[in-house]
Amino acid sequence: LALTLVGTSAAQAQSANITATATVLTPLTLTGTANLAFGNVFPGIAKTVAVTDATSGRFTIAGNPGSQVSMTFALPTDLTGAGTLPIGTWTGEHNNTNTTGGTAFVPSAAATLATLDAGTGNRFLFIGATVSPTVAQAAGAYTGTVTLNVVYTGL
């Protein structure tokens, strides 16, 4: 019995380590840079602001260069004031140059994907729409809120 205990060798234990790492990238910054302004509107006459107009709505996204983002909108169906003023036929365009002439899209709750500029990390959005006052539309100022939501996709 004593020989058996002396002759048995203990199993050798092994261990290894690795390091867990992560790099947190630049958070997104979203700025509304220009309101969508229809100006004066006459009863019974629809008025459209195109994305290329100086009064189009504008947003600026800033984030990690070259990253993909998902953009969704919450859009009013009416402007409110001395009553309701229907708004619709939304149009949009986005690009990396802060000038019109980019990728056309329809602003909606459905996601639109875009890639932030590889150098600056910026993306610029332009939106337009049409208001359609009735012939009996009450005079006065009307307003509504356009909300853009942007998140990284992880790509």
PDB file of all heavy atoms in Angstrom, residues 19-50:
ATOM      1  N   THR A  19      -7.545  38.768 -21.869  1.00  0.00           N
ATOM      2  CA  THR A  19      -8.054  40.079 -21.473  1.00  0.00           C
ATOM      3  C   THR A  19      -9.310  40.382 -22.277  1.00  0.00           C
ATOM      4  O   THR A  19      -9.344  40.168 -23.485  1.00  0.00           O
ATOM      5  CB  THR A  19      -6.998  41.170 -21.740  1.00  0.00           C
ATOM      6  OG1 THR A  19      -5.806  40.840 -21.018  1.00  0.00           O
ATOM      7  CG2 THR A  19      -7.482  42.525 -21.307  1.00  0.00           C
ATOM      8  N   ALA A  20     -10.325  40.865 -21.611  1.00  0.00           N
ATOM      9  CA  ALA A  20     -11.548  41.315 -22.293  1.00  0.00           C
ATOM     10  C   ALA A  20     -11.375  42.800 -22.601  1.00  0.00           C
ATOM     11  O   ALA A  20     -10.986  43.575 -21.732  1.00  0.00           O
ATOM     12  CB  ALA A  20     -12.764  41.093 -21.411  1.00  0.00           C
ATOM     13  N   THR A  21     -11.626  43.194 -23.852  1.00  0.00           N
ATOM     14  CA  THR A  21     -11.465  44.590 -24.242  1.00  0.00           C
ATOM     15  C   THR A  21     -12.692  45.086 -24.993  1.00  0.00           C
ATOM     16  O   THR A  21     -13.442  44.297 -25.574  1.00  0.00           O
ATOM     17  CB  THR A  21     -10.226  44.781 -25.165  1.00  0.00           C
ATOM     18  OG1 THR A  21     -10.460  44.078 -26.381  1.00  0.00           O
ATOM     19  CG2 THR A  21      -8.967  44.271 -24.506  1.00  0.00           C
ATOM     20  N   ALA A  22     -12.878  46.373 -24.976  1.00  0.00           N
ATOM     21  CA  ALA A  22     -13.955  47.020 -25.740  1.00  0.00           C
ATOM     22  C   ALA A  22     -13.552  48.466 -25.968  1.00  0.00           C
ATOM     23  O   ALA A  22     -12.869  49.065 -25.140  1.00  0.00           O
ATOM     24  CB  ALA A  22     -15.280  46.953 -24.985  1.00  0.00           C
ATOM     25  N   THR A  23     -13.977  49.007 -27.093  1.00  0.00           N
ATOM     26  CA  THR A  23     -13.770  50.417 -27.389  1.00  0.00           C
ATOM     27  C   THR A  23     -15.138  51.048 -27.601  1.00  0.00           C
ATOM     28  O   THR A  23     -15.876  50.647 -28.494  1.00  0.00           O
ATOM     29  CB  THR A  23     -12.914  50.597 -28.666  1.00  0.00           C
ATOM     30  OG1 THR A  23     -11.666  49.929 -28.472  1.00  0.00           O
ATOM     31  CG2 THR A  23     -12.679  52.057 -28.965  1.00  0.00           C
ATOM     32  N   VAL A  24     -15.474  51.988 -26.769  1.00  0.00           N
ATOM     33  CA  VAL A  24     -16.742  52.688 -26.899  1.00  0.00           C
ATOM     34  C   VAL A  24     -16.545  53.817 -27.902  1.00  0.00           C
ATOM     35  O   VAL A  24     -15.631  54.630 -27.772  1.00  0.00           O
ATOM     36  CB  VAL A  24     -17.222  53.245 -25.544  1.00  0.00           C
ATOM     37  CG1 VAL A  24     -18.510  54.038 -25.716  1.00  0.00           C
ATOM     38  CG2 VAL A  24     -17.413  52.102 -24.554  1.00  0.00           C
ATOM     39  N   LEU A  25     -17.391  53.831 -28.924  1.00  0.00           N
ATOM     40  CA  LEU A  25     -17.268  54.812 -29.994  1.00  0.00           C
ATOM     41  C   LEU A  25     -18.035  56.091 -29.670  1.00  0.00           C
ATOM     42  O   LEU A  25     -18.812  56.146 -28.719  1.00  0.00           O
ATOM     43  CB  LEU A  25     -17.754  54.209 -31.312  1.00  0.00           C
ATOM     44  CG  LEU A  25     -16.976  52.971 -31.759  1.00  0.00           C
ATOM     45  CD1 LEU A  25     -17.567  52.385 -33.023  1.00  0.00           C
ATOM     46  CD2 LEU A  25     -15.498  53.296 -31.957  1.00  0.00           C
ATOM     47  N   THR A  26     -17.829  57.087 -30.483  1.00  0.00           N
ATOM     48  CA  THR A  26     -18.449  58.394 -30.311  1.00  0.00           C
ATOM     49  C   THR A  26     -19.967  58.267 -30.252  1.00  0.00           C
ATOM     50  O   THR A  26     -20.576  57.654 -31.139  1.00  0.00           O
ATOM     51  CB  THR A  26     -18.071  59.301 -31.505  1.00  0.00           C
ATOM     52  OG1 THR A  26     -16.661  59.326 -31.615  1.00  0.00           O
ATOM     53  CG2 THR A  26     -18.618  60.697 -31.336  1.00  0.00           C
ATOM     54  N   PRO A  27     -20.609  58.845 -29.238  1.00  0.00           N
ATOM     55  CA  PRO A  27     -22.069  58.812 -29.208  1.00  0.00           C
ATOM     56  C   PRO A  27     -22.642  59.692 -30.323  1.00  0.00           C
ATOM     57  O   PRO A  27     -21.990  60.626 -30.789  1.00  0.00           O
ATOM     58  CB  PRO A  27     -22.429  59.383 -27.838  1.00  0.00           C
ATOM     59  CG  PRO A  27     -21.220  60.058 -27.339  1.00  0.00           C
ATOM     60  CD  PRO A  27     -20.040  59.516 -28.081  1.00  0.00           C
ATOM     61  N   LEU A  28     -23.839  59.376 -30.730  1.00  0.00           N
ATOM     62  CA  LEU A  28     -24.510  60.172 -31.759  1.00  0.00           C
ATOM     63  C   LEU A  28     -24.983  61.501 -31.183  1.00  0.00           C
ATOM     64  O   LEU A  28     -25.440  61.570 -30.040  1.00  0.00           O
ATOM     65  CB  LEU A  28     -25.729  59.433 -32.306  1.00  0.00           C
ATOM     66  CG  LEU A  28     -25.449  58.252 -33.218  1.00  0.00           C
ATOM     67  CD1 LEU A  28     -26.724  57.470 -33.480  1.00  0.00           C
ATOM     68  CD2 LEU A  28     -24.829  58.723 -34.525  1.00  0.00           C
ATOM     69  N   THR A  29     -24.865  62.536 -31.996  1.00  0.00           N
ATOM     70  CA  THR A  29     -25.423  63.845 -31.678  1.00  0.00           C
ATOM     71  C   THR A  29     -26.356  64.209 -32.819  1.00  0.00           C
ATOM     72  O   THR A  29     -25.980  64.112 -33.983  1.00  0.00           O
ATOM     73  CB  THR A  29     -24.315  64.915 -31.567  1.00  0.00           C
ATOM     74  OG1 THR A  29     -23.389  64.514 -30.579  1.00  0.00           O
ATOM     75  CG2 THR A  29     -24.892  66.264 -31.205  1.00  0.00           C
ATOM     76  N   LEU A  30     -27.561  64.613 -32.489  1.00  0.00           N
ATOM     77  CA  LEU A  30     -28.566  64.960 -33.494  1.00  0.00           C
ATOM     78  C   LEU A  30     -29.033  66.383 -33.227  1.00  0.00           C
ATOM     79  O   LEU A  30     -29.393  66.718 -32.099  1.00  0.00           O
ATOM     80  CB  LEU A  30     -29.737  63.982 -33.416  1.00  0.00           C
ATOM     81  CG  LEU A  30     -30.887  64.181 -34.380  1.00  0.00           C
ATOM     82  CD1 LEU A  30     -30.418  64.126 -35.826  1.00  0.00           C
ATOM     83  CD2 LEU A  30     -31.960  63.136 -34.136  1.00  0.00           C
ATOM     84  N   THR A  31     -29.011  67.212 -34.280  1.00  0.00           N
ATOM     85  CA  THR A  31     -29.404  68.611 -34.141  1.00  0.00           C
ATOM     86  C   THR A  31     -30.413  68.971 -35.227  1.00  0.00           C
ATOM     87  O   THR A  31     -30.192  68.677 -36.398  1.00  0.00           O
ATOM     88  CB  THR A  31     -28.168  69.537 -34.308  1.00  0.00           C
ATOM     89  OG1 THR A  31     -27.150  69.107 -33.410  1.00  0.00           O
ATOM     90  CG2 THR A  31     -28.520  70.974 -34.027  1.00  0.00           C
ATOM     91  N   GLY A  32     -31.504  69.598 -34.816  1.00  0.00           N
ATOM     92  CA  GLY A  32     -32.433  70.185 -35.775  1.00  0.00           C
ATOM     93  C   GLY A  32     -31.861  71.537 -36.162  1.00  0.00           C
ATOM     94  O   GLY A  32     -31.760  72.432 -35.320  1.00  0.00           O
ATOM     95  N   THR A  33     -31.442  71.701 -37.409  1.00  0.00           N
ATOM     96  CA  THR A  33     -30.735  72.922 -37.808  1.00  0.00           C
ATOM     97  C   THR A  33     -31.596  73.935 -38.555  1.00  0.00           C
ATOM     98  O   THR A  33     -31.202  75.091 -38.673  1.00  0.00           O
ATOM     99  CB  THR A  33     -29.492  72.578 -38.666  1.00  0.00           C
ATOM    100  OG1 THR A  33     -29.890  71.761 -39.758  1.00  0.00           O
ATOM    101  CG2 THR A  33     -28.468  71.821 -37.845  1.00  0.00           C
ATOM    102  N   ALA A  34     -32.755  73.536 -39.064  1.00  0.00           N
ATOM    103  CA  ALA A  34     -33.669  74.481 -39.726  1.00  0.00           C
ATOM    104  C   ALA A  34     -35.083  73.933 -39.663  1.00  0.00           C
ATOM    105  O   ALA A  34     -35.315  72.746 -39.908  1.00  0.00           O
ATOM    106  CB  ALA A  34     -33.259  74.721 -41.177  1.00  0.00           C
ATOM    107  N   ASN A  35     -36.029  74.798 -39.323  1.00  0.00           N
ATOM    108  CA  ASN A  35     -37.437  74.414 -39.294  1.00  0.00           C
ATOM    109  C   ASN A  35     -37.990  74.296 -40.706  1.00  0.00           C
ATOM    110  O   ASN A  35     -37.520  74.980 -41.628  1.00  0.00           O
ATOM    111  CB  ASN A  35     -38.246  75.453 -38.522  1.00  0.00           C
ATOM    112  CG  ASN A  35     -37.904  75.463 -37.052  1.00  0.00           C
ATOM    113  OD1 ASN A  35     -37.626  74.429 -36.464  1.00  0.00           O
ATOM    114  ND2 ASN A  35     -37.898  76.641 -36.458  1.00  0.00           N
ATOM    115  N   LEU A  36     -38.986  73.442 -40.876  1.00  0.00           N
ATOM    116  CA  LEU A  36     -39.722  73.329 -42.133  1.00  0.00           C
ATOM    117  C   LEU A  36     -40.732  74.480 -42.149  1.00  0.00           C
ATOM    118  O   LEU A  36     -41.686  74.494 -41.371  1.00  0.00           O
ATOM    119  CB  LEU A  36     -40.425  71.974 -42.204  1.00  0.00           C
ATOM    120  CG  LEU A  36     -41.342  71.716 -43.390  1.00  0.00           C
ATOM    121  CD1 LEU A  36     -40.587  71.852 -44.706  1.00  0.00           C
ATOM    122  CD2 LEU A  36     -41.961  70.336 -43.274  1.00  0.00           C
ATOM    123  N   ALA A  37     -40.484  75.482 -43.004  1.00  0.00           N
ATOM    124  CA  ALA A  37     -41.269  76.721 -42.973  1.00  0.00           C
ATOM    125  C   ALA A  37     -42.043  76.910 -44.276  1.00  0.00           C
ATOM    126  O   ALA A  37     -41.449  77.084 -45.342  1.00  0.00           O
ATOM    127  CB  ALA A  37     -40.343  77.907 -42.734  1.00  0.00           C
ATOM    128  N   PHE A  38     -43.373  76.898 -44.174  1.00  0.00           N
ATOM    129  CA  PHE A  38     -44.221  77.080 -45.338  1.00  0.00           C
ATOM    130  C   PHE A  38     -44.497  78.556 -45.628  1.00  0.00           C
ATOM    131  O   PHE A  38     -44.907  78.894 -46.734  1.00  0.00           O
ATOM    132  CB  PHE A  38     -45.553  76.338 -45.148  1.00  0.00           C
ATOM    133  CG  PHE A  38     -45.388  74.853 -45.193  1.00  0.00           C
ATOM    134  CD1 PHE A  38     -45.190  74.125 -44.029  1.00  0.00           C
ATOM    135  CD2 PHE A  38     -45.409  74.178 -46.401  1.00  0.00           C
ATOM    136  CE1 PHE A  38     -45.021  72.754 -44.075  1.00  0.00           C
ATOM    137  CE2 PHE A  38     -45.240  72.806 -46.459  1.00  0.00           C
ATOM    138  CZ  PHE A  38     -45.044  72.101 -45.288  1.00  0.00           C
ATOM    139  N   GLY A  39     -44.289  79.424 -44.661  1.00  0.00           N
ATOM    140  CA  GLY A  39     -44.572  80.842 -44.861  1.00  0.00           C
ATOM    141  C   GLY A  39     -46.062  81.073 -44.976  1.00  0.00           C
ATOM    142  O   GLY A  39     -46.872  80.399 -44.348  1.00  0.00           O
ATOM    143  N   ASN A  40     -46.435  82.039 -45.790  1.00  0.00           N
ATOM    144  CA  ASN A  40     -47.848  82.372 -45.981  1.00  0.00           C
ATOM    145  C   ASN A  40     -48.537  81.328 -46.846  1.00  0.00           C
ATOM    146  O   ASN A  40     -48.005  80.930 -47.882  1.00  0.00           O
ATOM    147  CB  ASN A  40     -47.989  83.748 -46.645  1.00  0.00           C
ATOM    148  CG  ASN A  40     -47.460  84.848 -45.749  1.00  0.00           C
ATOM    149  OD1 ASN A  40     -47.571  84.777 -44.540  1.00  0.00           O
ATOM    150  ND2 ASN A  40     -46.891  85.882 -46.354  1.00  0.00           N
ATOM    151  N   VAL A  41     -49.718  80.909 -46.392  1.00  0.00           N
ATOM    152  CA  VAL A  41     -50.499  79.894 -47.088  1.00  0.00           C
ATOM    153  C   VAL A  41     -51.912  80.451 -47.267  1.00  0.00           C
ATOM    154  O   VAL A  41     -52.487  81.021 -46.341  1.00  0.00           O
ATOM    155  CB  VAL A  41     -50.540  78.578 -46.257  1.00  0.00           C
ATOM    156  CG1 VAL A  41     -51.404  77.540 -46.929  1.00  0.00           C
ATOM    157  CG2 VAL A  41     -49.132  78.057 -46.020  1.00  0.00           C
ATOM    158  N   PHE A  42     -52.468  80.274 -48.460  1.00  0.00           N
ATOM    159  CA  PHE A  42     -53.806  80.790 -48.756  1.00  0.00           C
ATOM    160  C   PHE A  42     -54.854  79.687 -48.622  1.00  0.00           C
ATOM    161  O   PHE A  42     -54.605  78.538 -48.986  1.00  0.00           O
ATOM    162  CB  PHE A  42     -53.844  81.368 -50.174  1.00  0.00           C
ATOM    163  CG  PHE A  42     -52.953  82.564 -50.338  1.00  0.00           C
ATOM    164  CD1 PHE A  42     -51.695  82.430 -50.909  1.00  0.00           C
ATOM    165  CD2 PHE A  42     -53.373  83.814 -49.904  1.00  0.00           C
ATOM    166  CE1 PHE A  42     -50.871  83.532 -51.042  1.00  0.00           C
ATOM    167  CE2 PHE A  42     -52.552  84.927 -50.043  1.00  0.00           C
ATOM    168  CZ  PHE A  42     -51.289  84.783 -50.610  1.00  0.00           C
ATOM    169  N   PRO A  43     -56.053  80.030 -48.116  1.00  0.00           N
ATOM    170  CA  PRO A  43     -57.125  79.045 -48.006  1.00  0.00           C
ATOM    171  C   PRO A  43     -57.413  78.391 -49.356  1.00  0.00           C
ATOM    172  O   PRO A  43     -57.457  79.073 -50.391  1.00  0.00           O
ATOM    173  CB  PRO A  43     -58.326  79.868 -47.533  1.00  0.00           C
ATOM    174  CG  PRO A  43     -57.731  81.061 -46.860  1.00  0.00           C
ATOM    175  CD  PRO A  43     -56.470  81.352 -47.627  1.00  0.00           C
ATOM    176  N   GLY A  44     -57.546  77.076 -49.335  1.00  0.00           N
ATOM    177  CA  GLY A  44     -57.912  76.324 -50.529  1.00  0.00           C
ATOM    178  C   GLY A  44     -56.767  76.074 -51.501  1.00  0.00           C
ATOM    179  O   GLY A  44     -56.976  75.463 -52.541  1.00  0.00           O
ATOM    180  N   ILE A  45     -55.556  76.536 -51.197  1.00  0.00           N
ATOM    181  CA  ILE A  45     -54.423  76.356 -52.112  1.00  0.00           C
ATOM    182  C   ILE A  45     -53.304  75.604 -51.382  1.00  0.00           C
ATOM    183  O   ILE A  45     -52.715  76.128 -50.428  1.00  0.00           O
ATOM    184  CB  ILE A  45     -53.902  77.704 -52.636  1.00  0.00           C
ATOM    185  CG1 ILE A  45     -55.020  78.451 -53.369  1.00  0.00           C
ATOM    186  CG2 ILE A  45     -52.698  77.498 -53.548  1.00  0.00           C
ATOM    187  CD1 ILE A  45     -54.658  79.871 -53.776  1.00  0.00           C
ATOM    188  N   ALA A  46     -53.035  74.389 -51.834  1.00  0.00           N
ATOM    189  CA  ALA A  46     -51.963  73.585 -51.232  1.00  0.00           C
ATOM    190  C   ALA A  46     -50.611  74.253 -51.476  1.00  0.00           C
ATOM    191  O   ALA A  46     -50.408  74.904 -52.512  1.00  0.00           O
ATOM    192  CB  ALA A  46     -51.971  72.177 -51.807  1.00  0.00           C
ATOM    193  N   LYS A  47     -49.710  74.101 -50.527  1.00  0.00           N
ATOM    194  CA  LYS A  47     -48.363  74.660 -50.684  1.00  0.00           C
ATOM    195  C   LYS A  47     -47.344  73.591 -50.325  1.00  0.00           C
ATOM    196  O   LYS A  47     -47.435  72.944 -49.288  1.00  0.00           O
ATOM    197  CB  LYS A  47     -48.169  75.881 -49.801  1.00  0.00           C
ATOM    198  CG  LYS A  47     -46.821  76.561 -50.049  1.00  0.00           C
ATOM    199  CD  LYS A  47     -46.752  77.907 -49.368  1.00  0.00           C
ATOM    200  CE  LYS A  47     -45.454  78.620 -49.739  1.00  0.00           C
ATOM    201  NZ  LYS A  47     -45.375  79.918 -49.036  1.00  0.00           N
ATOM    202  N   THR A  48     -46.357  73.430 -51.204  1.00  0.00           N
ATOM    203  CA  THR A  48     -45.311  72.424 -51.020  1.00  0.00           C
ATOM    204  C   THR A  48     -43.970  73.099 -50.781  1.00  0.00           C
ATOM    205  O   THR A  48     -43.631  74.076 -51.448  1.00  0.00           O
ATOM    206  CB  THR A  48     -45.214  71.518 -52.264  1.00  0.00           C
ATOM    207  OG1 THR A  48     -46.475  70.846 -52.430  1.00  0.00           O
ATOM    208  CG2 THR A  48     -44.106  70.492 -52.130  1.00  0.00           C
ATOM    209  N   VAL A  49     -43.225  72.559 -49.839  1.00  0.00           N
ATOM    210  CA  VAL A  49     -41.817  72.931 -49.650  1.00  0.00           C
ATOM    211  C   VAL A  49     -41.014  71.699 -50.051  1.00  0.00           C
ATOM    212  O   VAL A  49     -41.173  70.625 -49.471  1.00  0.00           O
ATOM    213  CB  VAL A  49     -41.511  73.336 -48.199  1.00  0.00           C
ATOM    214  CG1 VAL A  49     -40.016  73.521 -48.002  1.00  0.00           C
ATOM    215  CG2 VAL A  49     -42.257  74.607 -47.828  1.00  0.00           C
ATOM    216  N   ALA A  50     -40.185  71.855 -51.076  1.00  0.00           N
ATOM    217  CA  ALA A  50     -39.334  70.755 -51.555  1.00  0.00           C
ATOM    218  C   ALA A  50     -38.058  70.680 -50.711  1.00  0.00           C
ATOM    219  O   ALA A  50     -37.666  71.666 -50.071  1.00  0.00           O
ATOM    220  CB  ALA A  50     -38.970  70.978 -53.022  1.00  0.00           C
TER     221      ALA A  50
END
